[in-house]
Amino acid sequence: MLFLEQNVNAPVDKPRTALEQVVETFHEMREDAVTIREEAHKIRQEGYAAMNKAYQVKEDAYEVKDEAYETRSELESLLIDTFALLKSQTTSSSLYIQEIRNSLTAINNRIGNLESRMDEFEDQIEKSVENQAEKFKGSLDQTYSQLTEKVEESIALSTLAKSRLQAWMSEVRLISLYKMADMNKPHSTYGTGVVTDGQFMMSHQVHSEMRTHCHSDTTQGKLTNNKLQINLGGLFRIHRVYIWNYRNCCLEQLVGTHIYADESLIGTVIEASFYHDFKVSEGNPTYASQITLHQPLQRNIYVLEVQVWGSGPFNEDDLFA
């Protein structure tokens, strides 16, 4: 007799995969993008502060100009009063009037100089604001360009990582080995673990305890709805379900059994055979976390092994064929 045994090695440390390196690089680039964005925000705040300062200086200049105009108005009012006083006094001398005229001329000259200086100061403020704005705009454009390049690099890296992940997860392999199994009507003598342990005999004289046995209560003649379920431990794309039938007898007991991937029917046993092979069409991808053998007829389920082949696991929100 030929035995198939599963060699279980002790766990070893695995080197970092290409996917992990790609993910780490992606996080580093994402941190760089965040740093650039913070620097751009800081430059923008400094630009706004410089503009506010320039506007404040301009407002101060306008206040000085207004004060000068008020002073001029007060002087004009004072001069008018003075002329009125002089006119009313017949004893005023022409020399005194000339001194007043000279004073007025000096005041007018000073006011003119003040207005000229105010105009120059306004021009300087406007030029300073324009220079600061141009400098801020150039810095912001450069930061935006750098950030755009980083985002494009991140997108390209993410696309490459997804492509590699798809290639890695497209491998079809045995996904049912050592997975948990359960029966709704188990026989008291036979356990469920043997259906996914990878160890079974091919001889017709196979020992009965190497099988899985869904057994209904025969005392009341109710043999229907036997079920054998395998929990895959995650969401996988199902490619194939291979069933090794009991070989010593009772091959016909499995006829009529439906094979489900979660709620999707992928096949039905229609003849007595030593094995049954159910393949899922490539054009109709099927994802499931549980495989169920359901016998709706009045028959037991005898099987040596159930092998489920697939790829994954996947997240429910990230399925790709």
Side-chain angles (χ1 to χ4, degrees):
M1 293 184 291
L2 176 62
F3 291 86
L4 300 178
E5 298 184 356
Q6 179 69 25
N7 185 14
V8 180
N9 296 324
V12 297
D13 296 333
K14 296 182 179 180
R16 293 172 59 192
T17 63
L19 175 61
E20 292 175 344
Q21 295 178 356
V22 170
V23 171
E24 182 178 354
T25 304
F26 173 76
H27 285 303
E28 292 177 356
M29 294 182 67
R30 185 177 181 181
E31 292 176 358
D32 293 340
V34 172
T35 302
I36 292 174
R37 182 180 296 173
E38 292 177 352
E39 292 178 356
H41 181 71
K42 183 177 179 180
I43 293 173
R44 180 182 295 175
Q45 294 298 327
E46 292 176 354
Y48 286 149
M51 292 177 68
N52 291 333
K53 185 175 180 180
Y55 285 131
Q56 183 62 40
V57 171
K58 187 174 182 179
E59 291 179 358
D60 294 341
Y62 280 130
E63 291 179 359
V64 172
K65 186 176 181 179
D66 292 339
E67 291 177 357
Y69 282 129
E70 291 178 359
T71 302
R72 181 176 181 177
S73 298
E74 291 177 356
L75 287 174
E76 290 177 350
S77 177
L78 179 60
L79 289 174
I80 291 172
D81 294 340
T82 302
F83 282 127
L85 180 61
L86 290 174
K87 188 176 181 179
S88 63
Q89 294 178 357
T90 57
T91 60
S92 298
S93 64
S94 59
L95 181 61
Y96 183 70
I97 294 174
Q98 185 63 36
E99 290 178 354
I100 293 176
R101 288 178 179 177
N102 292 336
S103 297
L104 289 175
T105 302
I107 291 174
N108 287 329
N109 291 335
R110 292 180 61 185
I111 293 176
N113 292 333
L114 180 60
E115 290 179 349
S116 177
R117 291 178 61 186
M118 286 297 301
D119 292 337
E120 293 177 358
F121 188 60
E122 287 181 359
D123 293 338
Q124 292 178 357
I125 291 176
E126 291 178 357
K127 291 180 180 179
S128 176
V129 171
E130 290 177 356
N131 292 334
Q132 290 292 336
E134 289 295 331
K135 183 179 179 181
F136 172 71
K137 182 180 179 181
S139 177
L140 185 61
D141 291 341
Q142 182 180 4
T143 302
Y144 177 77
S145 178
Q146 293 176 351
L147 183 60
T148 301
E149 291 178 358
K150 292 293 184 181
V151 170
E152 291 176 352
E153 291 176 359
S154 299
I155 293 174
L157 185 60
S158 298
T159 302
L160 179 60
K162 183 175 182 179
S163 176
R164 291 179 177 177
L165 180 63
Q166 288 177 337
W168 174 66
M169 297 186 71
S170 63
E171 175 194 9
V172 178
R173 66 188 187 281
L174 182 63
I175 60 175
S176 58
L177 188 63
Y178 301 122
K179 296 298 177 65
M180 293 185 293
D182 195 12
M183 294 181 290
N184 65 334
K185 300 175 184 178
H187 192 279
S188 59
T189 307
Y190 311 104
T192 60
V194 295
V195 77
T196 58
D197 64 354
Q199 303 179 20
F200 54 96
M201 296 181 181
M202 301 297 297
S203 172
H204 284 279
Q205 303 301 323
V206 60
H207 192 277
S208 62
E209 300 217 6
M210 295 294 292
R211 66 181 176 177
T212 299
H213 187 179
C214 292
H215 179 74
S216 300
D217 184 6
T218 59
T219 59
Q220 298 181 7
K222 297 181 180 180
L223 302 175
T224 59
N225 291 324
N226 286 313
K227 292 182 179 180
L228 172 63
Q229 298 169 324
I230 299 174
N231 186 353
L232 300 176
L235 186 65
F236 291 83
R237 180 180 175 182
I238 308 302
H239 291 264
R240 183 180 187 183
V241 178
Y242 199 91
I243 302 173
W244 298 88
N245 202 356
Y246 190 51
R247 301 194 167 231
N248 194 31
C249 71
C250 314
L251 295 178
E252 71 283 355
Q253 289 290 320
L254 202 59
V255 175
T257 300
H258 301 311
I259 290 80
Y260 291 93
D262 283 349
E263 303 299 327
S264 300
L265 178 66
I266 62 175
T268 302
V269 178
I270 59 175
E271 62 180 356
S273 178
F274 291 119
Y275 64 87
H276 301 277
D277 189 6
F278 300 95
K279 297 179 180 179
V280 180
S281 172
E282 290 291 332
N284 184 26
T286 299
Y287 295 84
S289 59
Q290 181 174 277
I291 299 298
T292 302
L293 277 62
H294 177 210
Q295 175 55 280
L297 304 178
Q298 293 184 356
R299 294 175 179 176
N300 297 328
I301 296 179
Y302 300 98
V303 291
L304 296 178
E305 187 82 5
V306 177
Q307 294 178 331
V308 183
W309 298 81
S311 56
F314 298 89
N315 292 326
E316 292 185 0
D317 57 351
D318 188 26
L319 303 180
F320 52 86

